Structure formats: C-alpha cells, structure tokens
Amino acid sequence: MNIGSLIRGLLGETKPGDAKQLDMKTGQVVRGVVLSVSEDGQEAVVQIQGVKVRAVLETPMQAGQATLLQVQPPMDNGMMVLKPLADSPYIALPAQSMAEVLNSLGLPDTHETRTMVQAMQASGVPLTKENAELFTRIMQLKPASVPAEQWIQSAAIALQRGLPVTGESVRGLQQAVFGAPVHELLAVLDEQLQNMQGAPAQN
C-alpha cells in the first residue's frame, strides 16, 4: 500500500513541484504561504491548505510571507486572483459585532469561541450553527500541543473534502499539513521497518 499516494490523495496534493487549483469561491478568505514569485511580481505559487496554487496577487508579496488572502473574481484565462489582507474581517470587527456573530451562532462569548470563529472564517468555513456545533465538538478533541488555528484549519480541510470530521481524521490531516513533510515521515517509517526486519530474533 502506497501511504504517500494515499495521503496526497486525501489532501488533493500533486507530486512536488506541481501547482493545482483549489475549489474556492470569490470572497472566501484563506491563509496562505507564498512559496515563489514570478520575476515581474504579478504571479506567485501559494500554499493553501497543503496545496500549491498558482495565482495572481493584487498586492506584491515576497517568497516566505504568510498572510490571509481573499479570493477575488478570476481573470479571463481562469487564473485565480488573491488579495492579501492585513487581518481577517472578523478579527477586525469591533467587540459588539463579534458578540452579535457569536450570538447568532448560539455560542458563548469567550476567548476560545472568538478564536474558533476567527479561525473558521479564515479557513473559509461557512459560519452556520451546524458548523459551529461541529467545530465546538472537534475543538474538545484537540491535543494541548496543537495550536487551535492549525486544528481548525485541518478540520476545515476534512469538511471541504467530504472526509469524516473526527478527532482521528483531523489529527492525521494536521500532522500531514503542518507536521514534517510526507516524504520525511515515509523515510523514517521505512527506516524503522528495515531496522525491525534486520533485528535479530529474541529468544
């Protein structure tokens, strides 16, 4: 069984070096990392949710920058257009507006729920009561060592790709997207298997 292909299939990734379009809607806000920029600075390869996306940037950015990006109407040739944002729209909302959002979702106004809603919005998850309940449950399964934003973004990937949103699936996606690269994990696994096969039998 090819574990690497399985994980890449779940994430929708292609082989290293390839760029792929994500199914994102105009107005959606996502977090991305700029991997490379064209010589004229107009186009860039951006990693979003573990997938490399080629897009046009409304504002020039440098390789290595990580920021929130809002999806703009595509160009005539279908090329995705991304607009860097200083902050998520919900992060910039005054306290009263955020309180209203939380109230409409049936959530208590706490630091944890504010962080959750901001991360959901940044990950492009529709802010519905159903999703709020789902992410509230999944947040209760988050390991203490995992940042809330990474956990929610991993849950968002599972939701958007039609995968079961469970503690195990989110943990696996979080490791695959934010942990060591897949090829490094597979190399370690192969080495461990070889060591086990080469170890002398215990009497």
Side-chain angles (χ1 to χ4, degrees):
M1 182 177 182
N2 192 325
I3 300 175
S5 295
L6 175 63
I7 293 177
R8 283 191 291 270
L10 289 175
L11 295 178
E13 292 182 306
T14 55
K15 62 184 179 181
D18 282 354
K20 178 182 178 181
Q21 294 289 350
L22 278 177
D23 182 18
M24 294 190 293
K25 298 179 180 179
T26 299
Q28 182 175 337
V29 177
V30 296
R31 183 171 295 280
V33 179
V34 178
L35 300 180
S36 63
V37 182
S38 62
E39 291 185 4
D40 60 10
Q42 295 299 310
E43 295 183 10
V45 175
V46 185
Q47 181 166 308
I48 301 172
Q49 298 177 2
V51 179
K52 294 178 182 178
V53 177
R54 189 176 300 280
V56 173
L57 299 177
E58 278 202 355
T59 303
M61 295 180 64
Q62 297 180 344
Q65 278 189 274
T67 188
L68 292 172
L69 302 159
Q70 186 175 48
V71 181
Q72 304 298 303
M75 300 186 69
D76 292 340
N77 61 5
M79 178 78 77
M80 180 181 293
V81 180
L82 297 173
K83 177 181 180 181
L85 298 179
D87 282 305
S88 162
Y90 277 98
I91 295 176
L93 282 176
Q96 182 179 2
S97 297
M98 174 56 81
E100 291 174 356
V101 171
L102 292 171
N103 182 61
S104 69
L105 295 175
L107 296 172
D109 189 351
T110 66
H111 173 72
E112 289 74 16
T113 55
R114 284 171 176 259
T115 299
M116 183 183 76
V117 168
Q118 289 166 358
M120 285 173 64
Q121 199 279 335
S123 297
V125 177
L127 297 180
T128 64
K129 284 189 176 182
E130 182 181 4
N131 285 340
E133 292 174 358
L134 173 62
F135 278 74
T136 297
R137 289 197 301 272
I138 207 68
M139 282 299 291
Q140 295 172 354
L141 304 176
K142 182 185 76 67
S145 60
V146 177
E149 186 178 70
Q150 290 186 10
W151 188 253
I152 291 173
Q153 187 170 338
S154 300
I157 294 173
L159 181 67
Q160 292 162 355
R161 299 198 177 280
L163 300 173
V165 184
T166 64
E168 290 185 1
S169 66
V170 174
R171 190 177 300 110
L173 286 168
Q174 189 275 332
Q175 175 62 43
V177 175
F178 298 100
V182 171
H183 69 274
E184 290 184 12
L185 294 175
L186 294 178
V188 172
L189 179 60
D190 287 341
E191 182 179 350
Q192 291 175 343
L193 290 173
Q194 291 175 9
N195 290 339
M196 290 172 61
Q197 291 172 353
Q202 298 291 331
N203 294 325

